[in-house]
Amino acid sequence: FPPPPPGLALELGLGALAEAARTRLRGQERPRGPGSPPLLSEATAERLVAALSRARGAALKLGQFLSMADSSVLTPQLQRILARLRQSAEPMPGWQSRAVLEAELGPGWQEQLQEFQNVPVAAASLGQVHRGRLRDGTEVALKIQYPGVARSIGSDIENLLTLLSLSPGLPKGLFAGPSLRSLQRELELECDYRREAQSTQRFRSLLGSDPFFRVPRVLPQLSSRRVLCTEWGRGGALEQCRELPQERRDQICSELLRLCLLELFQFRFMQTDPNWANFLYEPQSNTVTLLDFGACREFEREFTDLYIEVIKAAAERDEQKILSKSQELKFLTGFESPALQSLHVQAVLLLGEPFWGAQPFDFGAQGTARGVRGLLPQMLRGRLVPPPEPSYALHRKLGGLFLACAHLRGRVRCRELFQQVYEEYWHPKNRETPGAAILGCGTPNLPGPQTLWDTRPCWDSTPC
């Protein structure tokens, strides 16, 4: 997906480091030119892993994201290391989770529940999830934040930045600092479960009439800044859909791409966490339930106006337009060498292949990750500026979508989907009332956070 890898700075930068680790660990390191230092030494790799293992929220979130990459990006050694990170999210003891619940909801919190399971069903980077049942029989999920995790994020990121600064031979164009700072801001926002509750309600409003996607209802009476209660999501993990019939996998992948395009170009409000565990597929109803709206963000129209034109240029293989729009978006300065500009165009065309290649596009047969990885060393050495801030979260989401479709071996008519969204985006009726297109209704602005805790209907006039 365009723009190219510069927006995927941290993931793709570590992908390049993983390739260096692959050749070094296997004793197959090839010459990289006179005086070129290795991108990552074995000792530095071990220090990096040690730092990630010691950290909590930031490290586990990063490891969770990187663990989704395929074997063309991560070496078997690094995959095993990242698997250890995923398994290291040890749950809180029962007394501690109950202490958080009492501090946040009051001593009578359990009176609202018919059942509460002390053993969590999941333990992630920022908190853990327990299953429960209301007095009326409604099954619910209670997400409880780890004590102190919000305060630890800043120090975790500082540790990673320090470690990277001590790593010899890192390419100057990696720009790990801005990428990690962006991740820090996002994680700190994710720690506010009231904000996540409001984002969940907003997506429930936006997708209320959608035939394929479901968003669980928020239970405000059991929610606070560090506790979030929603209806229990039905379905199985997306990665378990790999053995479904081809037609069903094609439909799932097509719907995921449709949702992503809607989020970016119609709602201009996106859930940017690429974790596949946030999608639960229910085969009986043939629907997907969406979970975890902590990593949501807005996109300004100025950004999306240019971004949609970069994708359009890639779909039409218009190299000059790719360069000009990339400069307007601040991915390029205009002072890059002709060689780097050419690499940039190649990367955009590689990532934009779903929109210009044969249709339906076969994600299972494409070699995009391998092709992009081949361009990375030169791009990271010659890049002059970090990518624009909105692209960090956006490209994590797009990268996760791309990998999910590849994992499911989906075949999608990407060009047709994009063309429909493109025509709708530039239609005069959607340019006259900027706020209405975001909400999918005539309301130009969302209500304040206090509305979430009311028992009145939501802003789309339908009960939440």
Side-chain angles (χ1 to χ4, degrees):
F1 284 54
L8 295 166
L10 191 55
E11 181 202 9
L12 295 179
L14 289 179
L17 302 182
E19 171 59 18
R22 176 205 300 270
T23 54
R24 175 174 287 275
L25 289 171
R26 293 182 178 178
Q28 299 171 348
E29 186 164 357
R30 297 185 295 273
R32 298 176 53 245
S36 297
L39 288 179
L40 188 67
S41 69
E42 292 182 45
T44 300
E46 288 300 326
R47 289 199 300 272
L48 179 62
V49 171
L52 291 174
S53 299
R54 286 194 302 270
R56 193 161 194 175
L60 289 176
K61 181 68 75 171
L62 183 60
Q64 183 183 66
F65 174 51
L66 290 174
S67 69
M68 295 187 300
D70 61 22
S71 58
S72 69
V73 176
L74 291 177
T75 65
Q77 291 89 344
L78 286 180
Q79 286 178 327
R80 285 195 291 272
I81 290 170
L82 291 174
R84 294 206 312 263
L85 288 174
R86 293 197 302 272
Q87 296 164 2
S88 67
E90 296 182 2
M92 293 180 279
W95 66 265
Q96 192 173 40
S97 58
R98 287 176 172 271
V100 175
L101 287 168
E102 183 168 339
E104 292 292 309
L105 305 178
W109 65 271
Q110 199 161 359
E111 295 175 4
Q112 302 182 59
L113 297 170
Q114 180 185 118
E115 177 186 351
F116 175 79
Q117 295 184 4
N118 287 307
V119 179
V121 295
S125 55
L126 303 179
Q128 62 191 44
V129 179
H130 292 255
R131 192 167 187 166
R133 188 186 305 273
L134 299 181
R135 293 293 180 183
D136 63 5
T138 302
E139 287 191 283
V140 296
L142 287 103
K143 182 160 69 170
I144 308 169
Q145 190 174 123
Y146 301 131
V149 71
R151 296 190 300 272
S152 72
I153 290 171
S155 59
D156 290 345
I157 295 297
E158 288 299 331
N159 289 338
L160 290 174
L161 286 171
T162 300
L163 191 63
L164 288 174
S165 71
L166 298 174
S167 301
L170 286 177
K172 63 179 182 180
L174 180 61
F175 292 112
S179 181
L180 285 172
R181 293 297 185 198
S182 176
L183 178 64
Q184 177 181 346
R185 288 190 294 270
E186 292 165 18
L187 288 175
E188 287 170 347
L189 289 174
E190 283 189 55
C191 289
D192 184 354
Y193 286 177
R194 285 181 181 265
R195 179 180 180 274
E196 179 176 349
Q198 187 181 14
S199 296
T200 306
Q201 296 277 46
R202 183 171 177 180
F203 261 98
R204 183 172 167 84
S205 173
L206 290 166
L207 297 171
S209 60
D210 193 276
F212 191 79
F213 293 106
R214 302 284 183 267
V215 178
R217 178 169 59 100
V218 172
L219 284 303
Q221 68 273 24
L222 285 168
S223 298
S224 69
R225 186 170 295 278
R226 292 194 297 156
V227 176
L228 177 62
C229 182
T230 67
E231 291 177 319
W232 184 260
R234 304 288 179 184
L238 194 65
E239 57 188 313
Q240 297 174 359
C241 297
R242 190 178 173 91
E243 303 307 319
L244 290 174
Q246 182 69 55
E247 294 77 11
R248 189 59 61 88
R249 286 183 280 120
D250 292 346
Q251 182 191 13
I252 293 172
C253 292
S254 297
E255 293 290 347
L256 291 177
L257 176 60
R258 176 179 69 88
L259 174 63
C260 188
L261 293 173
L262 285 176
E263 287 178 275
L264 182 57
F265 296 122
Q266 181 175 331
F267 307 156
R268 297 207 312 277
F269 183 65
M270 176 178 278
Q271 192 280 86
T272 61
D273 189 340
N275 188 357
W276 303 344
N278 295 334
F279 302 89
L280 299 180
Y281 178 70
E282 212 288 306
Q284 283 71 36
S285 61
N286 189 31
T287 58
V288 165
T289 295
L290 306 176
L291 305 175
D292 197 346
F293 293 89
C296 289
R297 66 161 296 153
E298 305 264 8
F299 290 93
E300 298 292 337
R301 187 180 286 279
E302 180 183 7
F303 178 84
T304 58
D305 281 356
L306 293 170
Y307 201 95
I308 200 170
E309 290 299 336
V310 173
I311 299 180
K312 181 69 169 176
E316 296 174 347
R317 310 197 71 177
D318 186 338
E319 297 186 6
Q320 190 55 48
K321 186 177 179 181
I322 289 173
L323 282 175
S324 65
K325 294 300 179 182
S326 295
Q327 288 181 24
E328 290 184 64
L329 271 169
K330 310 302 182 186
F331 281 94
L332 298 173
T333 66
F335 295 101
E336 287 80 7
S337 68
L340 186 66
Q341 291 184 22
S342 176
L343 288 170
H344 178 95
V345 170
Q346 290 179 55
V348 171
L349 291 175
L350 271 172
L351 294 166
E353 186 180 0
F355 303 108
W356 62 258
Q359 303 291 306
F361 184 75
D362 189 345
F363 281 92
Q366 53 81 29
T368 302
R370 189 172 292 105
V372 170
R373 184 166 53 82
L375 302 176
L376 279 175
Q378 297 177 70
M379 294 188 72
L380 291 176
R381 285 196 296 270
R383 191 159 55 125
L384 300 180
V385 291
E389 191 277 333
S391 68
Y392 289 116
L394 171 59
H395 286 173
R396 282 198 292 274
K397 173 63 174 276
L398 296 177
L401 170 64
F402 200 96
L403 291 169
C405 290
H407 176 77
L408 295 179
R409 304 188 299 272
R411 301 175 304 189
V412 180
R413 296 190 178 278
C414 304
R415 187 187 306 138
E416 181 179 329
L417 278 172
F418 172 71
Q419 188 61 33
Q420 291 174 357
V421 171
Y422 183 85
E423 292 174 2
E424 183 73 13
Y425 185 86
W426 290 114
H427 194 283
K429 70 180 175 65
N430 290 328
R431 311 300 292 181
E432 296 169 0
T433 320
I438 298 177
L439 294 179
C441 62
T443 307
N445 295 296
L446 280 173
Q450 69 278 6
T451 304
L452 173 63
W453 312 111
D454 294 342
T455 56
R456 298 191 303 271
C458 286
W459 44 84
D460 66 343
S461 300
T462 59
C464 289

